[in-house]
Amino acid sequence: MHLLNLGILAHVDAGKTSLTERLLHSVGIIDEIGSVDAGSTQTDTLELERRRGITIKSAVVSFPVDDITVNLIDTPGHPDFIAEVERVLGVLDGAVLVVSAVEGVQAQTRVLMRTLRRLRIPTLVFVNKIDRRGARYEGVLSELSGRLSVPIVPMGTVTGLGTDRAAFRTGRIAPDVLADHDDDLLAAYVDGDLAPERLRAALVAQTRRGLVHPVHFGSAMTGAGVPELIDGVRELLPPAGGDPESPLSGTVFKVERGPAGEKIAYARLFSGTLRTRDRVPFGSGEPRREGKVTALAVFDHGTDVREEAVTAGRIARLWGLAEVRIGDSIGLPRTPPGRVFAPPTLETVVVPGPDTDRRSLHLALTQLAEQDPLIGLRHDEVRQETSVSLYGEVQKEVVQATLAEEYGLDVTFRGTTPLCVERPAGTGSAVEFNKKGANPFLATVGLRVDPAPPGTGVTFGLEVELGSMPYAFFKAVEDTVRETLGQGLHGWQVTDAAVTMTHSGYSPRQSHAHQGFDKSMSSTGHDFRGLTPLVLIDALRRAGTRVYEPMHRFTIEAPADTLGVLLPVLAALRAVPGATRTRGARCVLEGAVPAARVHALGQRLPGLTRGEGELESAFDHYAPVAGGTPPERPRTDFNPLNRKEYLLNVAGRVTP
């Protein structure tokens, strides 16, 4: 039996979860269609999802279509939970992008399609809600090809548009888009010798290669067009590949906790066979961890079924890997696709309520971060505070509700602030020599910091010979450099920096006669880990740093006569307008706005545009913080900016 791992993606409220329910009903998995409003859907299983009517966590459900088993993955549509979508994309064989026939192409639609195209994931488009008043056919097709800038192939026409009698009828496939990608097909088309079978074969081949996107219309509420979509999924999307006899290789894309608090990992196997009681290596770096799989389950006919073995192509739930994390490779390591979406650009401090135990709160937040690694935690022992990084205000509300309902913890939040970064402003060098001056460590470390091109992160290089001291000491310096640059001169993460080791030296292993190793006379990794932050921060001081704040690229489409009202508000929000163009009675305004002001812009836009304004925004770049004193972020390390305080902390005399 063939397998297909299928993702359902959409802008929020396009009807994605309703379509999932209709698909499950159409193939006989459920007897009654659940309602998002009533909170009775199959895939929105969290109480919070049912109450809010949005998908927060991805969910997997399986159903058969002829000889194919489809693992359908329902993903969140709200941009605050884009990290959940990112993890799913790496395990898909194909996708269905849902678009509303009323609203058409929306902000998240464009983000998702760009990503699906970049990852070359074969994708069908399903235009939902053809039964709704205001539904469009030609207009939506125009937006799909124009605003999404992708080659589409309409699979039929709609009758009764905008009524409860709306229906989708498959029809003749236009050959022009397919001929653009196939010279032989184009020649046959020009010669009038293009058989329908050849045209269909070309459609299948080009769809599976991600070159074109067939478009189906229908309604998840009435079921119109859904059988045709199921036929399209079966015929047009490629089955899962993978050799069950090859070495084991898979990827963990979701982690949850079971009733007893045990970790359950969701993994896609790309090759090999995994069996219960197998000991497997896993992890995303070195050293890798190892664990014993105590139980396995696969998805089948709407539920999960325990199995003794799972083969390539399948999605499985795994028990027993206590240290597993999202993004880990199982078996042979896989090369990740890299970051698909931008990282969170906002941060807030969690404030425990009067009766909330801080240790319990820290444990709960740690478990939430396990399930969503882009919820970065930053714990300040001195102030007894924990900060979380987020995508937006809705995600903050969900974290608050989850802590209350699942852990019984009452929390509030301080105001959301942008997550800035620091970049070196120039070049700076520093060195401290073993047994000289005020250096208390048995180590010589010299470092130079240079600016690096934007987007390169932190690089580490050597201007000393690798054999001049044990490799472990070089590794200790490099690891400590990367850790120390998590907090620059102003407390923000330092990025786009090239760090070079210019001096090295150590005290060889020494011992007294007839006695063992004398630690007081011999260098250890502790010496290099202790000295490196002081040298690095000294070099960074001499280089200087500049603080950069995250900026979002925005597009506002609104009535043209509201532009005069919009521009002063954008200026007050420190937005920088760019190109402006008109579309009839509407204008399209592009520009950049600080990430911290996006939420306020979204809240004010309806009132400024008579409710007709549309905002699309996404992280674009970091820009220097203009004017005044750069924003500071409280430090959570031993504070190498203050040498005396740092040395006392390292010596253990002061609790950090």
Side-chain angles (χ1 to χ4, degrees):
M1 177 176 284
H2 293 301
L3 294 166
L4 170 63
N5 297 299
L6 176 71
I8 304 287
L9 302 94
H11 185 99
V12 66
D13 290 335
K16 170 180 48 61
T17 300
S18 297
L19 176 60
T20 300
E21 290 292 306
R22 176 61 68 175
L23 288 170
L24 296 177
H25 181 266
S26 298
V27 297
I29 294 299
I30 56 177
D31 297 326
E32 184 176 344
I33 296 176
S35 165
V36 173
D37 294 335
S40 56
T41 60
Q42 290 288 305
T43 52
D44 286 346
T45 56
L46 298 177
E47 176 59 32
L48 189 57
E49 291 178 312
R50 296 179 184 276
R51 192 171 68 251
R52 294 185 69 106
I54 60 173
T55 301
I56 297 170
K57 295 292 182 183
S58 59
V60 183
V61 64
S62 178
F63 60 85
V65 178
D66 297 336
D67 63 339
I68 298 177
T69 295
V70 178
N71 288 323
L72 190 151
I73 309 175
D74 186 17
T75 61
H78 197 286
D80 278 14
F81 307 104
I82 197 67
E84 192 76 17
V85 179
E86 176 173 303
R87 295 190 287 273
V88 168
L89 291 177
V91 305
L92 298 181
D93 303 305
V96 173
L97 181 63
V98 183
V99 178
S100 167
V102 180
E103 288 82 10
V105 171
Q106 297 171 278
Q108 192 76 343
T109 316
R110 299 176 67 181
V111 172
L112 292 170
M113 180 56 92
R114 281 198 302 266
T115 306
L116 290 164
R117 294 275 295 177
R118 182 164 67 83
L119 296 178
R120 295 186 177 277
I121 297 174
T123 302
L124 310 182
V125 177
F126 182 74
V127 181
N128 190 26
K129 303 183 181 181
I130 62 171
D131 58 318
R132 289 269 301 275
R133 181 180 300 175
R136 298 168 297 142
Y137 178 81
E138 294 290 350
V140 174
L141 288 176
S142 176
E143 289 182 13
L144 290 172
S145 60
R147 295 187 66 187
L148 293 185
S149 301
V150 297
I152 60 170
V153 180
M155 299 298 291
T157 58
V158 177
T159 60
L161 189 65
T163 71
D164 56 7
R165 301 183 305 279
F168 178 67
R169 298 286 182 265
T170 56
R172 177 180 173 274
I173 300 170
D176 49 344
V177 173
L178 297 172
D180 288 343
H181 300 91
D182 187 330
D183 291 341
D184 292 338
L185 192 71
L186 176 60
Y189 175 43
V190 172
D191 294 340
D193 188 29
L194 185 55
E197 297 79 11
R198 184 175 180 184
L199 189 62
R200 194 77 186 184
L203 174 66
V204 173
Q206 293 188 26
T207 302
R208 291 185 175 187
R209 292 168 57 197
L211 298 177
V212 300
H213 304 284
V215 181
H216 293 78
F217 282 74
S219 168
M221 295 302 294
T222 67
V226 173
E228 291 79 5
L229 175 64
I230 293 174
D231 289 341
V233 167
R234 176 184 55 78
E235 179 189 10
L236 301 175
L237 295 179
D243 181 2
E245 303 301 323
S246 296
L248 177 69
S249 181
T251 297
V252 174
F253 67 93
K254 177 177 177 177
V255 173
E256 65 183 17
R257 294 270 177 174
E262 75 279 15
K263 275 189 181 180
I264 306 171
Y266 287 63
R268 158 76 189 267
L269 295 191
F270 292 95
S271 65
T273 299
L274 181 62
R275 297 175 177 82
T276 305
R277 294 178 292 281
D278 278 355
R279 292 196 67 84
V280 295
F282 61 90
S284 55
E286 296 293 341
R288 304 190 75 203
R289 303 177 296 283
E290 189 175 274
K292 181 180 179 181
V293 177
T294 58
L296 292 167
V298 298
F299 296 92
D300 189 31
H301 284 75
T303 185
D304 57 333
V305 179
R306 293 294 180 105
E307 295 282 359
E308 286 298 310
V310 179
T311 56
R314 304 211 73 154
I315 289 177
R317 302 176 79 202
L318 316 178
W319 284 260
L321 306 181
E323 297 181 8
V324 74
R325 295 193 292 261
I326 290 173
D328 281 351
S329 292
I330 295 177
L332 289 179
R334 293 182 56 81
T335 302
R339 181 163 300 285
V340 175
F341 302 108
T345 55
L346 302 173
E347 185 177 59
T348 185
V349 174
V350 184
V351 181
D355 298 323
T356 298
D357 179 70
R358 291 180 180 271
R359 287 175 296 182
S360 299
L361 175 59
H362 184 68
L363 176 62
L365 288 171
T366 301
Q367 291 188 0
L368 289 183
E370 289 175 354
Q371 299 171 33
D372 188 346
L374 290 187
I375 296 182
L377 296 184
R378 187 171 181 271
H379 191 60
D380 186 340
E381 292 284 355
V382 175
R383 297 167 184 79
Q384 288 295 296
E385 293 178 348
T386 299
S387 302
V388 295
S389 55
L390 302 165
Y391 278 97
E393 297 298 317
V394 172
Q395 189 180 16
K396 185 165 70 173
E397 295 169 12
V398 168
V399 170
Q400 182 180 31
T402 302
L403 290 171
E405 296 173 11
E406 295 188 16
Y407 297 92
L409 300 173
D410 175 34
V411 302
T412 56
F413 297 93
R414 292 188 192 158
T416 303
T417 58
L419 269 173
C420 299
V421 298
E422 293 182 50
R423 288 174 175 155
T427 296
S429 299
V431 60
E432 295 206 23
F433 293 97
N434 186 6
K435 300 179 182 177
K436 290 185 179 180
N439 179 8
F441 301 101
L442 295 179
T444 294
V445 174
L447 297 170
R448 184 179 68 248
V449 177
D450 294 295
T456 56
V458 174
T459 60
F460 181 80
L462 299 177
E463 282 185 358
V464 295
E465 292 188 8
L466 190 59
S468 61
M469 66 180 187
Y471 173 75
F473 294 162
F474 286 111
K475 188 70 168 62
V477 172
E478 179 178 358
D479 290 347
T480 307
V481 162
R482 296 185 183 280
E483 180 181 349
T484 303
L485 290 182
Q487 301 179 71
L489 302 181
H490 301 282
W492 305 101
Q493 180 178 358
V494 179
T495 187
D496 303 330
V499 181
T500 305
M501 191 169 185
T502 58
H503 297 75
S504 66
Y506 73 109
S507 295
R509 183 182 180 94
Q510 300 184 43
S511 60
H512 297 288
H514 310 297
Q515 296 183 15
F517 167 58
D518 187 344
K519 185 177 180 181
S520 67
M521 301 170 60
S522 311
S523 297
T524 66
H526 169 77
D527 291 299
F528 288 90
R529 287 189 293 271
L531 180 59
T532 297
L534 291 174
V535 177
L536 180 59
I537 289 297
D538 195 11
L540 202 61
R541 271 200 186 103
R542 297 176 185 184
T545 64
R546 191 166 187 183
V547 178
Y548 290 70
E549 65 178 331
M551 301 290 290
H552 278 226
R553 177 187 64 256
F554 73 84
T555 301
I556 294 176
E557 186 170 339
D561 61 358
T562 63
L563 185 61
V565 180
L566 273 173
L567 290 175
V569 174
L570 290 172
L573 294 174
R574 295 198 294 120
V576 181
T580 304
R581 59 186 186 275
T582 57
R583 290 179 181 167
R586 296 177 69 80
C587 68
V588 179
L589 176 64
E590 297 177 346
V593 62
R597 307 301 178 94
V598 172
H599 183 67
L601 177 58
Q603 286 186 316
R604 298 195 62 178
L605 188 63
L608 298 169
T609 60
R610 303 188 295 274
E612 298 180 43
E614 297 179 9
L615 171 67
E616 176 185 342
S617 74
F619 171 78
D620 188 62
H621 66 283
Y622 287 94
V625 175
T629 304
E632 300 281 334
R633 190 189 196 197
R635 303 191 72 86
T636 60
D637 58 6
F638 285 159
N639 191 18
L641 289 171
N642 184 320
R643 186 182 184 95
K644 182 178 179 180
E645 178 185 339
Y646 173 81
L647 292 175
L648 287 172
N649 283 331
V650 171
R653 298 174 194 161
V654 176
T655 302

